[in-house]
Amino acid sequence: MKSKRRKSFEKEVLCHLDRLFGYAMHLCKNSEDASDLVQDTYLSALKSEKQYSLGTNAGAWLFTIMRNTFLNTMRKMSRKPTGMAGEWIEQMTREDIPELKKHGPDPGVKCLDNLLKEDITRAFDSLPEEFKDTVVLCDVQGFSYADIAAILDIPIGTVRSRIHRGRFILRHLLADWENVAMGGS
């Protein structure tokens, strides 16, 4: 039987699942790794449940765990030798396997393709990482500047600056697209 604290904890953290998956997609760039990252994040959160104060900002706490988990994974992977046996399986796409191809495109990929225009994606991908992280956490995930500062472990002034610069760069990169969308030539 679950304790009252465990039930409250689960209620506070599980409501962030969709937002965490969105941020994981930003970090990992594919749905399988993003799902793994979300699972690892929740596993770490459960292990650290006693360190969490009920009623505080569970979203910021989870996003901090996710970012740190992602960075630790990237550090470990950078130390692994390349060209391991079976690596070709990971490099194979869904379209390379006829049985999967007849079922159509991957639903996650199809959804993202429908939601994001190619120009916006290209512009966003060209942003330096520090700007990308702050813009995603603010404009996509809806975190406050204070929460972003806590998640990224940087001063709030740096958050403001990076969001401003990131948005400025995006506006500049998308200026031609905006002219076309507004009926210009």
Side-chain angles (χ1 to χ4, degrees):
M1 188 166 171
K2 291 182 185 178
S3 70
K4 184 177 179 180
R5 180 183 175 11
R6 172 55 71 98
K7 287 180 185 177
S8 296
F9 173 77
E10 288 177 0
K11 184 178 179 181
E12 286 186 33
V13 299
L14 290 176
C15 65
H16 298 282
L17 182 63
D18 290 339
R19 290 176 65 203
L20 283 169
F21 184 75
Y23 188 53
M25 282 296 295
H26 159 71
L27 293 171
C28 298
K29 310 288 190 252
N30 73 65
S31 59
E32 290 175 14
D33 289 343
S35 293
D36 289 346
L37 181 57
V38 171
Q39 286 180 345
D40 291 345
T41 299
Y42 273 106
L43 182 61
S44 294
L46 284 171
K47 288 178 181 177
S48 304
E49 175 188 353
K50 289 183 173 75
Q51 297 172 348
Y52 175 72
S53 299
L54 290 174
T56 59
N57 192 341
W61 183 67
L62 288 167
F63 274 72
T64 301
I65 291 172
M66 176 176 279
R67 183 172 183 274
N68 290 338
T69 301
F70 175 76
L71 292 175
N72 289 337
T73 301
M74 290 297 105
R75 282 186 205 108
K76 287 178 190 173
M77 288 177 66
S78 70
R79 290 184 223 138
K80 280 187 178 180
T82 57
M84 297 177 70
E87 188 177 74
W88 61 272
I89 294 172
E90 293 177 18
Q91 295 173 350
M92 198 183 312
T93 65
R94 184 179 183 90
E95 281 69 32
D96 293 333
I97 304 171
E99 291 80 23
L100 292 176
K101 190 174 183 177
K102 68 182 174 187
H103 295 289
D106 180 18
V109 172
K110 186 176 180 181
C111 178
L112 287 176
D113 287 345
N114 290 337
L115 294 176
L116 299 174
K117 299 282 186 205
E118 192 174 304
D119 292 340
I120 295 171
T121 303
R122 194 176 316 120
F124 190 78
D125 287 344
S126 70
L127 278 178
E129 282 302 317
E130 65 268 15
F131 299 141
K132 240 190 265 191
D133 285 343
T134 55
V135 171
V136 165
L137 289 171
C138 180
D139 295 337
V140 177
Q141 297 299 332
F143 280 105
S144 70
Y145 288 5
D147 289 342
I148 296 168
I151 291 167
L152 299 177
D153 194 27
I154 57 175
I156 197 165
T158 304
V159 170
R160 287 186 180 107
S161 173
R162 288 181 182 178
I163 289 171
H164 174 76
R165 289 180 186 167
R167 288 174 179 165
F168 178 82
I169 292 168
L170 284 174
R171 273 193 300 273
H172 176 72
L173 292 171
L174 294 171
D176 292 336
W177 180 79
E178 183 179 14
N179 287 336
V180 171
M182 300 301 253
S185 52

